[in-house]
Amino acid sequence: MRYRRTHRGFTLIEIIVAVAIVAVLVTIAGGAVFRRMSSGEVVKCRTNLEELVKLGIKYSEDLGHQNLLPTSGMDDDEDTPEMDESEGWWLALAQELDSTVLPNKKKKMKLSVIFHCPSDKRRDVPRSGIMEADENTVSYVSWTDASEQKQNPNSQIRIVGKKRLDNLPWLSDGVPQKGQSVNDYDSFRSMVVPALKRHNNTLLVAYASGQVRAFETAEMDTKELFQKINPDKLIPLRRKRK
């Protein structure tokens, strides 16, 4: 008596189809996980900027009638020989934090990790506590309208008496450069554009009004994005060479 074979192995085509289906499912699931992670990092980054805005308001209030927001490229304060204010706006804000560790002559200043975006992978920093402050650990850059000191294009922002503070960007995702603020399209390209890839084409900007906005950058070229962030500042047209 013969027995029929009721089971057979998978054919090569069936195996290939099964592997393809699994690959698609993994890709979809992985993309969803990445979007959740990216979204979480955007939320954390936004929280950082909101905290920095509070420090900026406190800094401005402590100056009394001056009402200035710090930028990079400020004049150095002779009363603080342990730091050079022109290195970065974060030095001014850090003084408003009780957790700030001022440097001695040989060591760097240490400040809160709220100055670091979790999506910024240029330098490994602790998830909480404090970090050494430099251009590679600080993840945000200052903007300026250069109206406080005409001779200094990186001067602080005076917010008193100005209208439309919600159109005046102050801090954003970026790559700091010593003594430099974003004051035109060229500085935007060198300091902000490199940060666009941090969290899934979302750029966060804090304005002089205290508002923090998110910009979806995937569908915009860099000129359009600059104009969107800074609508009151026109990009000068370059003259064509004859």
Side-chain angles (χ1 to χ4, degrees), residues 36-151:
R36 285 198 296 272
M37 290 174 61
S38 179
S39 177
E41 290 177 343
V42 171
V43 170
K44 174 60 178 172
C45 188
R46 187 182 193 113
T47 300
N48 287 349
L49 280 172
E50 289 170 348
E51 290 299 315
L52 295 176
V53 164
K54 292 177 183 177
L55 291 175
I57 293 172
K58 187 174 185 303
Y59 170 88
S60 181
E61 291 174 346
D62 287 346
L63 290 179
H65 66 283
Q66 296 183 56
N67 290 290
L68 299 173
L69 290 174
T71 60
S72 293
M74 298 185 301
D75 293 335
D76 187 25
D77 187 348
E78 295 179 359
D79 295 331
T80 55
E82 73 279 359
M83 67 179 73
D84 179 2
E85 277 80 4
S86 67
E87 288 189 0
W89 53 272
W90 63 83
L91 297 174
L93 294 192
Q95 294 178 77
E96 304 293 341
L97 283 173
D98 294 334
S99 61
T100 299
V101 179
L102 299 180
N104 58 30
K105 294 182 179 179
K106 295 182 179 180
K107 294 183 178 180
K108 291 183 179 180
M109 182 178 194
K110 292 186 178 181
L111 47 73
S112 170
V113 292
I114 66 171
F115 291 82
H116 181 82
C117 167
S119 298
D120 184 357
K121 306 303 182 184
R122 291 176 301 144
R123 178 77 62 82
D124 290 333
V125 301
R127 291 182 176 272
S128 61
I130 59 176
M131 65 181 186
E132 285 193 346
D134 61 31
E135 287 82 3
N136 291 312
T137 56
V138 176
S139 304
Y140 308 106
V141 296
S142 60
W143 293 56
T144 178
D145 60 353
S147 63
E148 174 60 13
Q149 299 175 15
K150 297 297 184 182
Q151 72 278 13

Side-chain angles (χ1 to χ4, degrees), residues 13-27:
I13 293 177
E14 289 172 331
I15 293 174
I16 292 173
V17 170
V19 169
I21 292 173
V22 171
V24 170
L25 293 176
V26 169
T27 301

Side-chain angles (χ1 to χ4, degrees), residues 187-200:
S187 54
F188 169 77
R189 284 194 304 171
S190 65
M191 298 172 68
V192 178
V193 170
L196 297 184
K197 58 186 178 182
R198 279 184 192 161
H199 21 61
N200 204 20

